[in-house]
Amino acid sequence: MEHDQFKGRSITLNTLREEQRALNMRLLLAVRLRDLEAQRTLEQELEETARQIESLLSGRQI
């Protein structure tokens, strides 16, 4: 049973890290296109994703 908890946690962490990578790629594109509004939005999304990852790693609820 305990193994299942770690499996679920791993999937969530992997999902968040994949989302973080995708946001980073989108941010890079926004920088190249000089789209400041998109950059701001993506930076906020990256900050939220980073908070969720940190929360998950520290054992707190998201």
Side-chain angles (χ1 to χ4, degrees):
M1 187 70 106
E2 188 173 334
H3 182 273
D4 290 338
Q5 289 175 325
F6 287 115
K7 183 178 179 184
R9 179 176 171 175
S10 177
I11 292 169
T12 301
L13 182 57
N14 286 339
T15 301
L16 288 171
R17 288 191 170 153
E18 287 174 18
E19 180 180 341
Q20 190 177 43
R21 282 190 287 273
L23 288 168
N24 278 320
M25 286 187 280
R26 289 174 57 202
L27 180 58
L28 179 58
L29 180 59
V31 168
R32 288 183 179 174
L33 295 174
R34 297 187 176 124
D35 186 340
L36 295 177
E37 184 177 338
Q39 288 177 45
R40 282 189 218 104
T41 301
L42 291 164
E43 286 168 350
Q44 290 172 347
E45 290 181 41
L46 276 165
E47 287 174 12
E48 177 58 30
T49 302
R51 278 192 292 275
Q52 290 175 344
I53 290 170
E54 178 60 31
S55 177
L56 185 65
L57 291 174
S58 68
R60 295 181 302 222
Q61 293 293 327
I62 297 176

